[in-house]
Amino acid sequence: MLDPAMLGRGLGSEATQLVLEYAFTELGLHRVDLRVLAFNERAIACYTTCGFVIEGRERETALIDGRWHDDVMMSILDHEYHDRYS
């Protein structure tokens, strides 16, 4: 269950930054990408804060409760990560 008191505390950004650190420093990845439902504005803001860039939108890819929703594709590259966090 979602606890509204936990929102806005930066926990999502912190978790995302830890995953990116592992991906780029330990695994040596060149690129990390993701898909997020377009109506999830909090997640998109979190990912943007962490350095992800919006690459595009796929229209009506997810059927949820009888309604179609778009996906937003985002990514961050290794040099973008290192420029931001080094």
Side-chain angles (χ1 to χ4, degrees):
M1 178 70 93
L2 177 66
D3 180 358
M6 299 303 290
L7 296 176
R9 298 178 64 187
L11 299 175
S13 295
E14 183 177 349
T16 301
Q17 290 166 359
L18 289 170
V19 168
L20 291 176
E21 179 181 3
Y22 184 75
F24 290 123
T25 62
E26 296 297 321
L27 298 178
L29 297 181
H30 172 66
R31 171 188 169 90
V32 174
D33 58 52
L34 58 85
R35 302 169 73 97
V36 59
L37 290 165
F39 65 76
N40 194 344
E41 295 173 2
R42 293 182 68 85
I44 293 169
C46 169
Y47 299 139
T48 301
T49 295
C50 293
F52 282 83
V53 175
I54 294 176
E55 293 186 327
R57 175 183 293 256
E58 285 189 324
R59 300 179 307 143
E60 297 185 358
T61 54
L63 181 62
I64 302 172
D65 295 328
R67 291 188 52 216
W68 287 101
H69 298 275
D70 296 354
D71 273 334
V72 174
M73 284 88 58
M74 303 178 77
S75 73
I76 183 170
L77 304 176
D78 58 349
H79 62 85
E80 295 167 334
Y81 170 81
H82 292 297
D83 288 347
R84 179 181 278 280
Y85 293 105
S86 295

